[in-house]
Amino acid sequence: MPLLPEDLRAVLAPVDLVWARLDRADARRLVEAAVRSELKRVEGLAGRTDAGQARRRLVRRLDEHLRTGGRSPTGGWLLARGLSQRQQCGDVRCDDRVLLDSGQGCPRCKDRQADRRAQCHTVAAAVDAAMPGASEDSEDKRRAAAPL
């Protein structure tokens, strides 16, 4: 089994089984380069990053992948899903609703979620006003009446 590069062991520890399945040296070099590039990019956005932050990202994504019925992750998954930043809003520091520089929840994402909830409540109130006394049995009618 090929050993993880010493400088990336702390980051790649959660996906060491994926690394072990990379049987070609060029595939391992590609993953190494991608990890180093992502760490450098995040460092440029958020300042010095620690291995723990990158490791937590991989753990979160691996758990999500397996929880949603994903198959055993591959090198392709690692490059496309595990390492890539997933911005949920316009803040360049946002990654899965967490700020890369602080590890705190993203306030822009929280605001967007609150706005969506308020919009849903407004639509529900408009439907209730248009269809007073509508029972839950008429959910399809309520959805059809929603002004979207």
Side-chain angles (χ1 to χ4, degrees):
M1 174 170 103
L3 293 176
L4 289 166
E6 190 170 333
D7 63 325
L8 298 179
R9 283 184 187 154
V11 174
L12 292 174
V15 291
D16 60 350
L17 294 176
V18 175
W19 180 264
R21 286 194 303 268
L22 296 174
D23 53 352
R24 294 187 347 238
D26 55 337
R28 289 189 297 275
R29 282 192 298 273
L30 179 68
V31 169
E32 283 180 49
V35 171
R36 287 187 178 101
S37 173
E38 182 62 12
L39 288 173
K40 185 173 282 200
R41 191 186 68 75
V42 169
E43 187 173 324
L45 292 173
R48 178 142 168 72
T49 58
D50 62 3
Q53 183 179 5
R55 184 177 51 245
R56 285 188 296 277
R57 176 198 275 190
L58 282 174
V59 167
R60 259 193 341 266
R61 299 220 174 129
L62 183 60
D63 287 346
E64 174 188 296
H65 176 74
L66 296 174
R67 191 177 57 247
T68 58
R71 296 178 186 228
S72 183
T74 62
W77 172 87
L78 186 60
L79 294 173
R81 299 277 186 170
L83 291 173
S84 61
Q85 181 180 1
R86 297 190 299 198
Q87 280 182 278
Q88 301 294 320
C89 69
D91 192 326
V92 296
R93 301 168 301 156
C94 179
D95 182 43
D96 284 336
R97 297 182 192 96
V98 175
L99 294 179
L100 292 170
D101 59 346
S102 67
Q104 302 297 314
C106 176
R108 289 180 90 177
C109 287
K110 287 178 186 175
D111 288 345
R112 287 180 65 214
Q113 185 177 29
D115 288 345
R116 282 193 298 271
R117 284 185 179 148
Q119 184 180 22
C120 287
H121 289 297
T122 301
V123 169
V127 171
D128 286 340
M131 301 176 68
S135 69
E136 293 298 319
D137 294 337
S138 61
E139 187 68 28
D140 290 335
K141 291 179 188 175
R142 289 172 54 88
R143 287 182 195 264
L148 297 178

